[in-house]
Amino acid sequence: MASHHIQRLFPSPIIHRCFSSEILLNPPTLTIHSDFAPEYGVPPTQSSDQGSHPVGGALPNATSRVPKPKGEVTRISRDGYNLLTALGWTSDQYTEIQSYLQKLAGKHLDLQSTFKKQNQLKLARFQDEAKKRYPILANYEDDWAASDFLRVYLKNAKARGRKDGDEDAYITTVVATFS
């Protein structure tokens, strides 16, 4: 039998390094006093001198936001994605936020129009109110999470309108689209 010689490439793991202390220019976010609801990070009260944004006093920076998955929501067979899986939330969180966003859409938006045909000011108001109620939605780049909830809801609302006998409105919409 041949003996193998093992040569260590790295120095021994017992190395002590001393670092000088750093002076922080801004206090860390964790030192700001906020009382959060247990499941969603919704701050019912906040006592901070750094502003009153619902996400711990500061906007999340663009590099820390969750990017939109590739593909189209609910189009799994065409390299799309499932929204619940992409978000990584519990089923209860998903259902609660989905229900709120649907009510909010009914309040601000035209449920017979597609996402692209919505009034941009009303769409912005929808996004703002959604993030105000559920700050977790601010963690997603370009508000894709709330937008995807809305896209699915509008698509299904339009399909329900056709199914419920609102065929004339559907035909009018199709004719107007192709005219």
Side-chain angles (χ1 to χ4, degrees), residues 97-141:
I97 293 173
Q98 179 186 40
S99 176
Y100 175 76
L101 293 179
Q102 289 172 354
K103 289 176 188 169
L104 193 61
K107 179 180 171 184
H108 291 293
L109 303 170
D110 177 10
L111 300 182
Q112 297 304 310
S113 294
T114 62
F115 182 84
K116 288 183 179 182
K117 292 183 180 178
Q118 294 295 326
N119 178 302
Q120 293 302 306
L121 291 174
K122 291 180 179 181
L123 199 55
R125 188 177 312 132
F126 168 85
Q127 296 284 5
D128 290 343
E129 283 191 36
K131 287 186 286 189
K132 190 174 190 177
R133 173 77 181 263
Y134 293 103
I136 193 171
L137 294 171
N139 294 339
Y140 299 91
E141 248 177 38

Side-chain angles (χ1 to χ4, degrees), residues 8-17:
R8 189 180 305 182
L9 297 176
F10 301 102
S12 172
I14 304 174
I15 296 176
H16 296 281
R17 302 270 185 206

Side-chain angles (χ1 to χ4, degrees), residues 27-65:
T29 308
L30 296 176
T31 61
I32 299 171
H33 176 74
S34 296
D35 296 327
F36 291 93
E39 292 182 301
Y40 307 108
V42 179
T45 62
Q46 186 172 26
S47 59
S48 167
D49 296 335
Q50 289 192 357
S52 60
H53 189 274
V55 184
L59 287 170
N61 66 29
T63 58
S64 68
R65 291 186 179 180

Side-chain angles (χ1 to χ4, degrees), residues 77-113:
S77 63
R78 296 182 185 169
D79 295 328
Y81 57 94
N82 175 287
L83 187 55
L84 175 60
T85 306
L87 295 171
W89 297 346
T90 66
S91 182
D92 290 341
Q93 286 175 317
Y94 182 89
T95 304
E96 181 180 329
I97 293 173
Q98 179 186 40
S99 176
Y100 175 76
L101 293 179
Q102 289 172 354
K103 289 176 188 169
L104 193 61
K107 179 180 171 184
H108 291 293
L109 303 170
D110 177 10
L111 300 182
Q112 297 304 310
S113 294

Side-chain angles (χ1 to χ4, degrees), residues 139-178:
N139 294 339
Y140 299 91
E141 248 177 38
D142 300 322
D143 301 322
W144 70 262
S147 295
D148 279 357
F149 273 112
L150 184 58
R151 286 177 202 276
V152 171
Y153 181 62
L154 292 174
K155 179 180 168 186
N156 292 339
K158 196 167 184 121
R160 267 192 308 278
R162 287 193 306 259
K163 198 183 270 188
D164 292 341
D166 195 7
E167 198 66 33
D168 293 336
Y170 173 68
I171 291 171
T172 304
T173 303
V174 170
V175 170
T177 303
F178 290 109

